[in-house]
Amino acid sequence: MKFEYLRHVELPYFDGNNHWSICPYTGSLLKGNSEKNANHIKIPRKVSMAIEYCNQPYLCKVNNEIKISQGSFKIFAKINRMHNRLLKISNSRFYTTRLYSSMKNLLFENTSEAIICINSLPPQVELKHQLCLQRAFLAAKISKSFTKEGVIFIGAFLPTGDMHAWIIENGAQPDFDDRGWVNYRPLLAFYH
Amino acid sequence: MIISNPTRNYLYFNRKNNQILYNLYDLINIDLIRTASLKAHEKNISHFFSRPDQYQEVFSGISLIPPRSRWNYDGNNFRCLNVNIVSSNYKSQISELLNISERLSSVIDNKKIAIELSGGLDTAIVIGIVKHLGFDPFLVGMRSSRYELRTESFIQAKYAESFKNVCLLNADDSLPFSNLKSSPLHQHPSSSSLYYMHALRIAEECERENVNTILSGMGFDALLCESVNKTETNAMPNNWYTWMLDDNWFRENIYSKYNMNYTSGAASQLIIKSIWALRKTQNEDLKKWWARNAFKEYLPTELVNYSYKADNSGGFLDGFLNSRNEISEIYNVAYEITKFKEFEKSELKALYANAHIVDENKDKLILSRVSFANWIFGLVRENIIS
């Protein structure tokens, strides 16, 4: 197991009245009057390219084929254990989730394959829309290609406080089953 | 007894004296309003029921009879008498659907047609088929700068480049709940009244273009998504009537005043049956992949290849927040008339306190209460009650 710290970059947004951001340590959505100077934030090229795909979803590579998980039972059980661990950590211990995801356990060549397997886990089947954080951070943990090409975004559907986590990797949204990610404005990105 | 509504508007049936009322205003008075059931109105909104066999009576003994529907009333229950006499021997080919569409389009041959341009799949299918039939429709819609609606805006812009006559109005000017104090007087409470500005703006634009008929994409969600395999929905073409489409309020209270017909592109049993035959034994298809593929020749490539689902609740929330003063005034009037606890200031405050929470039930509560208060406000404004 290799430790590769998931770095972050904040993407604060001003909607004309309020400044919105997400705390990279607690994962909380912050709304305030004080401005975070977005001009001073250096956004790595990989992240800025991924933001472009978020802003223009029709630029993303087409990923609409229904795919069935090809993982063996052994791998499936292992991923299920890791997923359960993330569920125990829970959303409230956001930084621990981030650290756990940084402890790499590379089982899949790319994130799309990893997500197909994660999506077939019972809790994800049952509560797919509520478990986006666990899905994204687990995919980052077990996918080889994520390290090179992937970016996790956490965004908010403004002005509601609804939040979502998703990945953009190599110009595609690897979760073919996630149609709602386009509703969320990216406010925080994680990458290697 | 048989109750028939041959008109294009809702009629009302009074169970107490078995009378059909063309005009509910004659019956409306303070006592009727004070004994009305806001809970029943909430339930009707939650379940989208306007058909009398499932409708919860808001006014004791009064049922709504949808336009162009027939019912048998046995003293207790309603039973739908509309019969579909369409042959079920449909070929499962797109060409069959196009032939049907062509035959149906003969009634609008000499009329100017507009189609709502939402930027989504359903209206795009209507646009694609109408264009294929040789019409040059006026495309009219609301353009939003909202982040979550950027995929819709992209498709709208694409149509604006390829069609001659396209009008995209600013969505911020007609958010839900806007300008409520001027909403048209209407006979029974309806959540559609909260969205009237959208329809009004479209009607105004269509009037400038001398449009006679406006087509929408209403009803396509059920047609293109629902499972054909399920036993209970298998009979959909036989049990699904065009009057179930929720376009009646807009037609009755907005478009008819401009002498326009407003209807869904799916408002024909022939089309419903044809699409159902095409989908044959399919399971639920929430992403509408079948439709994206089947109609690909008539759609922008983006709608064929991607199934993004934009959420409109941001506009709903902004509209609700922006209209707080007006809604407060409307609530005050409703409280003065009814003394209903639900219209107390503290109740409205609680609705606003939780407005940001993403919760379908909360949205339905807002829809039902504000629309009920808005209905009362209109009656007071027009001196129907005082």
Side-chain angles (χ1 to χ4, degrees), chain A residues 20 31 51 53-64 66 157-162 176-186, chain B residues 119 146-152 154-155 286-289 292 302-314 317-318 321 356 358:
Chain A
W20 297 89
K31 175 187 170 186
I51 291 171
Y53 288 106
C54 290
N55 291 339
Q56 299 184 68
Y58 285 132
L59 288 183
C60 288
K61 287 175 193 161
V62 175
N63 178 24
N64 58 19
I66 297 168
F157 179 23
L158 302 176
T160 77
D162 199 23
F176 80 100
D177 217 19
D178 182 1
R179 313 165 66 197
W181 68 274
V182 294
N183 293 305
Y184 299 83
R185 183 182 284 277
Chain B
R146 301 189 74 86
Y147 186 76
E148 66 271 19
L149 299 180
R150 64 201 180 288
T151 48
E152 267 69 5
F154 180 92
I155 298 296
L286 290 177
K287 296 180 184 175
K288 304 181 189 171
W289 284 124
R292 292 174 201 279
E302 289 82 1
L303 292 179
V304 177
N305 292 328
Y306 301 86
S307 64
Y308 297 137
K309 187 170 172 54
D311 190 325
N312 283 304
S313 57
L317 177 56
D318 272 348
L321 296 175
H356 285 85
V358 177

Side-chain angles (χ1 to χ4, degrees), chain B residues 215-379:
Chain B
L215 297 177
S216 74
M218 232 173 246
F220 275 81
D221 263 345
L223 265 181
L224 303 178
C225 294
E226 281 188 15
S227 168
V228 189
N229 276 328
K230 281 188 199 163
T231 341
E232 67 267 29
T233 53
N234 217 359
M236 186 172 175
N238 296 322
N239 292 327
W240 202 65
Y241 302 101
T242 52
W243 48 259
M244 288 179 185
L245 298 167
D246 192 23
D247 50 5
N248 295 315
W249 192 93
F250 297 110
R251 187 164 49 218
E252 184 173 335
N253 296 291
I254 306 281
Y255 293 109
S256 68
K257 298 190 167 63
Y258 290 82
N259 295 316
M260 288 168 201
N261 184 26
Y262 176 70
T263 187
S264 165
S268 155
Q269 292 303 141
L270 294 164
I271 287 180
I272 294 165
K273 273 212 159 184
S274 174
I275 291 180
W276 215 236
L278 279 163
R279 286 191 58 209
K280 276 195 250 173
T281 55
Q282 277 189 3
N283 288 320
E284 190 178 55
D285 183 13
L286 290 177
K287 296 180 184 175
K288 304 181 189 171
W289 284 124
W290 172 83
R292 292 174 201 279
N293 187 47
F295 296 105
K296 65 183 173 195
E297 284 175 48
Y298 312 102
L299 295 171
T301 51
E302 289 82 1
L303 292 179
V304 177
N305 292 328
Y306 301 86
S307 64
Y308 297 137
K309 187 170 172 54
D311 190 325
N312 283 304
S313 57
F316 177 89
L317 177 56
D318 272 348
F320 184 59
L321 296 175
N322 294 348
S323 305
R324 185 165 188 162
N325 291 339
E326 217 173 9
I327 292 172
S328 296
E329 280 183 57
I330 286 169
Y331 254 58
N332 288 344
V333 171
Y335 183 73
E336 281 305 310
I337 298 287
T338 62
K339 304 291 181 203
F340 286 175
K341 180 182 165 292
E342 289 87 346
F343 295 133
E344 283 177 2
K345 283 191 171 82
S346 58
E347 290 284 326
L348 184 60
K349 205 174 164 189
L351 277 187
Y352 271 99
N354 297 319
H356 285 85
I357 298 166
V358 177
D359 174 10
E360 212 178 317
N361 292 329
K362 175 232 23 173
D363 289 350
K364 283 172 183 167
L365 204 62
I366 291 174
L367 282 173
S368 59
R369 290 188 182 178
V370 179
S371 64
F372 200 94
N374 189 41
W375 169 72
I376 294 172
F377 185 87
L379 296 172

Side-chain angles (χ1 to χ4, degrees), chain B residues 46-59:
Chain B
S46 295
H47 298 96
F48 307 104
F49 287 148
S50 63
R51 45 185 301 163
D53 53 349
Q54 290 171 45
Y55 177 75
Q56 305 269 318
E57 286 176 359
V58 177
F59 312 109

